[in-house]
Amino acid sequence: MNQADFLWLVGLIEGEGCFYLKKEKDRATRPAFEVITTDKDVIERVSNLMNTKIYATQPKDNTHKLQYRVRMSDTKAMNWALTLYPYMSER
């Protein structure tokens, strides 16, 4: 990934992404990550850069747009979190 793509990804994830701990049925927790947007071209770029699948969620009614998301968990999510963290703003 080139520097421009990486910095674009950091900025997008800063605003639209979420790293979290997902609680499983067996009460174990694991790292997870997702980005959600209604912009298909944006999510396609994220998917290509992060090498992950796109999921589409139908809105509950016709007044909302179709949502697209990428998500990952476990080692892949943790590796991305560690890679991106130094470039993200303090919260």
Side-chain angles (χ1 to χ4, degrees):
M1 175 182 325
N2 66 44
Q3 184 180 16
D5 285 339
F6 179 76
L7 295 175
W8 176 86
L9 187 61
V10 169
L12 179 78
I13 290 169
E14 182 85 48
E16 303 295 332
C18 179
F19 288 97
Y20 57 97
L21 292 174
K22 182 178 179 184
K23 194 169 195 175
E24 297 296 330
K25 292 178 184 177
D26 64 0
R27 296 188 173 213
T29 57
R30 62 185 194 179
F33 165 78
E34 70 181 1
V35 173
I36 302 171
T37 182
T38 58
D39 299 317
K40 189 174 183 182
D41 61 322
V42 170
I43 210 69
E44 286 173 341
R45 187 172 178 189
V46 173
S47 175
N48 288 334
L49 292 172
M50 299 184 88
N51 193 29
T52 191
K53 185 176 175 181
I54 298 171
Y55 299 89
T57 304
Q58 288 289 349
K60 294 181 181 178
D61 61 51
N62 292 337
T63 62
H64 294 93
K65 294 180 180 180
L66 183 66
Q67 286 187 334
Y68 301 98
R69 73 182 64 217
V70 295
R71 65 173 76 150
M72 62 184 75
S73 58
D74 299 322
T75 304
K76 190 173 182 180
M78 182 58 77
N79 288 340
W80 274 108
L82 293 172
T83 300
L84 298 169
Y85 179 77
Y87 300 92
M88 303 192 80
S89 301
E90 284 188 40
R91 296 276 181 243

